[in-house]
Amino acid sequence: MVALERQVFDFLGYQWAPILANFFHILVVILGLFGTIQYRPRYIVVYTVWTAVWVAWNVFIICFYLDVGGLSKDSDLLTFNISAHHSWWSEHGPGCVRKEIPSSGERGADTQSYISIMGCLLEYQYIEVLHCGFQILTSENVACLSTLNHSLKTTPV
């Protein structure tokens, strides 16, 4: 459920790299659940390895939004440099007031306007960091439970 929620907000922001990562995460979670329920050790191993990759991805996103290590939240890295979109939360965060200021000149279909954001209770980069932290905690807990379930099934009584 947490991955689906994140997928929705990444789609709203047209952030293609997180959309692909979330898609693979959802597939591997389904595979891991199947492996746990059907007792398929290979699927559990795949899920465990994916959990390490997923944690690394979320740490990268945290570093990206906190501008750590030469990364910048203002870059187009998460959209593969094909669009100027950004986090949906940057304009729609809690308490944010969005004010659109039209550009001077003619208004056409592809005319852009300046958007001013004021009064946010929590800056968007911290919302993204909280999302990533929650993803890390959730995936680690599920991986531990999956491994515990597997070990309980293989322990002789």
Side-chain angles (χ1 to χ4, degrees), residues 135-150:
Q135 291 284 330
I136 291 170
L137 290 174
T138 304
S139 63
E140 289 296 323
N141 286 335
V142 170
C144 289
L145 290 174
S146 173
T147 307
L148 179 65
N149 185 31
H150 171 69

Side-chain angles (χ1 to χ4, degrees), residues 14-81:
Y14 297 104
Q15 298 199 353
W16 301 114
I19 288 170
L20 288 173
N22 291 332
F23 176 74
F24 286 122
H25 181 64
I26 291 167
L27 288 178
V28 174
V29 165
I30 292 169
L31 192 69
L33 287 172
F34 177 77
T36 301
I37 293 169
Q38 296 292 318
Y39 182 61
R40 308 277 183 182
R42 287 185 183 154
Y43 292 171
I44 295 171
V45 169
V46 167
Y47 179 74
T48 305
V49 169
W50 174 256
T51 299
V53 171
W54 186 243
V55 168
W57 169 255
N58 280 287
V59 168
F60 166 75
I61 296 295
I62 289 171
C63 292
F64 179 81
Y65 279 110
L66 295 179
D67 297 331
V68 175
L71 296 170
S72 173
K73 64 183 168 285
D74 298 323
S75 74
D76 294 332
L77 183 66
L78 296 182
T79 61
F80 297 129
N81 294 323

Side-chain angles (χ1 to χ4, degrees), residues 117-131:
I117 309 297
M118 298 177 295
C120 296
L121 298 175
L122 188 62
E123 294 294 323
Y124 77 94
Q125 63 266 25
Y126 301 122
I127 295 172
E128 293 286 356
V129 167
L130 288 171
H131 263 127

